[in-house]
Amino acid sequence: MEEKKIIFSGIKPSGNLTLGSYLGALKNWVDLSDEYNCYYCIVDMHAITVRQDAAQLRRRTLEQLAQYIACGLDPAKNTIFIQSHVPAHAELSWVLSCYTMFGELSRMTQFKDKSAKNADNINAGLFTYPVLMAADILLYQADLVPVGEDQKQHVEITRDIAHRFNSVYGEVFTMPEPFIPKVGARIMSLSDPDSKMSKSEQGGMGCICLMDSPEDIMRRFKRAVTDSDSCVRYDPENKKGVSNLMAIYSAASGKNFAEIEAEFDGKGYGDFKTAVGESVVELLRPIREKAEDLLKNKDYLVQIYRDGAETAAKAAARTLRKVYKKVGFVER
Ligand code: ATP
Ligand code: LTN
């Protein structure tokens, strides 16, 4: 029997999961989980590159696990675990940092963005963040990394690091490919269509979280920023707000852009926003209800992440052992 190809992806428990995290990443994780051998991680070590409240981080990590499962990830089919539970991530990260150049890390867009937003805390972890992400991916010999558009550059640097290492030591790492969805790869804020919907910037009218109530979701869609020409047409250059709403509606309803344009031909933005809001409410309703249910059973969640870490640690240890040997560390 041919071995299944491998997938790795992760999300930081840095805030409640958003519609962006769902449409850009999680939805595809679920779709890919039959065909691939999948490792889905809660990357808590990445989360602390910006300051987190300890109690909140602990709570969010568990909530995120419940939301992964509620989105449709079956723990019996996927390895779901918490990054800090598998020490090999930190260990490989150190080795890889010696094969990553200062210059290439300096060019990372996310580093530039986050340092601008956290000017009082531009720490070394924020800078070496992509190295830890490369370690996450390469430890499992992943073939595919399902992420949103914003993470493409990090998968590319992972490939560069793997290539550099393999050129010295032979084929140690599998070369991973990013998997970016056609629709939903970059969901923008509802209140500011020029900036990405982001989970660390919640509270405003621009962000939809998976756990939001139907009333909150509808209110935000009704107030979403559009334009003054009252025509539902896909034009991401000139009609950013409307195009973003169309992308959301398309991903939530399965309709393509032409169908959506026809559906709202001659109708105003009011009807359109209501329809988009309702499709998102129905998309998220079962997820929210299931997650709320799962959170009542902590023992079950603990069992899932412990089992996940055990499986992940075994796979990770194989790669780490090989790497340590290649670089010349004396065997324990
Ligand atoms: P933070 O604000 O803490 O940096 P984030 O909201 O940007 O977090 P992550 O948790 O870092 O999101 O990302 C999780 C996954 O979801 C990644 O694969 C990322 O590419 C994807 N993603 C995040 N936001 C969006 C978005 N607005 N549109 C599409 N995909 C997204
Ligand atoms: N950097 C990613 C989260 C992340 C990740 C990974 C994604 C950490 N490690 C490995 C895919 C594979 C982010 O900011 N969204």
Side-chain angles (χ1 to χ4, degrees):
M1 197 181 77
E2 207 182 313
E3 290 241 342
K4 281 186 176 177
K5 289 199 169 195
I6 298 169
I7 281 189
F8 184 96
S9 198
I11 301 182
K12 289 168 284 179
S14 50
N16 297 314
L17 293 180
T18 70
L19 187 61
S21 349
Y22 181 72
L23 297 179
L26 258 168
K27 185 166 175 275
N28 298 304
W29 297 8
V30 178
D31 294 344
L32 295 163
S33 62
D34 276 328
E35 213 180 313
Y36 291 82
N37 178 10
C38 303
Y39 293 88
Y40 293 129
C41 191
I42 300 173
V43 289
D44 54 349
M45 290 158 67
H46 277 109
I48 63 163
T49 53
V50 302
R51 286 284 171 266
Q52 303 288 341
D53 173 80
Q56 214 175 42
L57 180 62
R58 210 170 282 123
R59 180 174 53 72
R60 278 183 181 151
T61 302
L62 217 59
E63 285 173 0
Q64 193 164 306
L65 173 63
Q67 289 170 39
Y68 277 11
I69 301 169
C71 285
L73 287 184
D74 179 352
K77 279 200 259 171
N78 303 282
T79 302
I80 307 177
F81 69 105
I82 300 171
Q83 188 184 32
S84 63
H85 290 184
V86 180
H89 291 245
E91 294 172 296
L92 181 62
S93 181
W94 175 255
V95 176
L96 295 182
S97 71
C98 303
Y99 296 81
T100 309
M101 300 302 138
F102 183 87
E104 58 189 348
L105 288 176
S106 314
R107 288 193 289 275
M108 292 293 116
T109 314
Q110 182 171 307
F111 172 66
K112 290 189 224 164
D113 284 355
K114 297 268 173 196
S115 356
K117 283 181 195 148
N118 301 279
D120 55 343
N121 183 24
I122 306 178
N123 60 70
L126 199 59
F127 187 65
T128 58
Y129 179 113
V131 184
L132 178 59
M133 177 157 161
D136 296 342
I137 296 167
L138 299 177
L139 264 181
Y140 299 92
Q141 307 288 353
D143 297 282
L144 213 59
V145 184
V147 284
E149 177 69 39
D150 63 305
Q151 293 303 310
K152 192 168 169 223
Q153 197 184 32
H154 285 162
V155 181
E156 276 161 8
I157 194 178
T158 299
R159 290 169 60 87
D160 293 340
I161 297 168
H163 180 71
R164 190 170 295 129
F165 196 92
N166 285 352
S167 314
V168 182
Y169 300 106
E171 293 303 300
V172 177
F173 296 125
T174 303
M175 209 46 89
E177 298 274 352
F179 180 96
I180 295 165
K182 285 196 187 69
V183 183
R186 192 170 171 78
I187 301 296
M188 309 309 280
S189 159
L190 301 187
S191 54
D192 172 14
D194 283 313
S195 62
K196 183 180 90 106
M197 185 184 285
S198 170
K199 79 171 126 57
S200 56
E201 285 155 48
Q202 283 161 4
M205 293 302 283
C207 183
I208 302 286
C209 294
L210 300 191
M211 302 304 277
D212 282 345
S213 70
E215 297 72 33
D216 280 342
I217 295 174
M218 287 310 292
R219 186 157 355 108
R220 285 178 203 163
F221 275 104
K222 283 187 177 153
R223 290 230 215 134
V225 169
T226 47
D227 49 51
S228 54
D229 75 357
S230 259
C231 168
V232 176
R233 181 167 50 80
Y234 191 72
D235 177 358
E237 282 297 307
N238 303 304
K239 292 169 71 69
K240 285 193 178 145
V242 169
S243 301
N244 186 43
L245 292 175
M246 284 180 74
I248 293 172
Y249 189 49
S250 170
S253 68
K255 296 176 188 168
N256 64 33
F257 293 148
E259 288 168 329
I260 298 170
E261 285 172 1
E263 181 177 350
F264 295 99
D265 189 25
K267 294 189 186 150
Y269 285 160
D271 288 352
F272 173 53
K273 289 180 181 181
T274 303
V276 183
E278 282 169 356
S279 74
V280 171
V281 166
E282 291 320 314
L283 178 74
L284 299 186
R285 188 192 302 281
I287 298 176
R288 175 173 46 88
E289 287 173 357
K290 175 110 200 267
E292 280 166 359
D293 231 34
L294 285 163
L295 279 165
K296 290 182 196 138
N297 191 350
K298 293 263 156 50
D299 292 347
Y300 171 72
L301 296 174
V302 172
Q303 196 56 47
I304 302 294
Y305 71 62
R306 285 199 180 140
D307 289 352
E310 202 182 313
T311 308
K314 280 191 197 131
R318 280 198 291 277
T319 303
L320 190 68
R321 205 177 308 119
K322 208 190 264 181
V323 168
Y324 274 15
K325 196 167 168 192
K326 291 285 188 189
V327 299
F329 291 168
V330 172
E331 215 176 321
R332 287 184 232 205

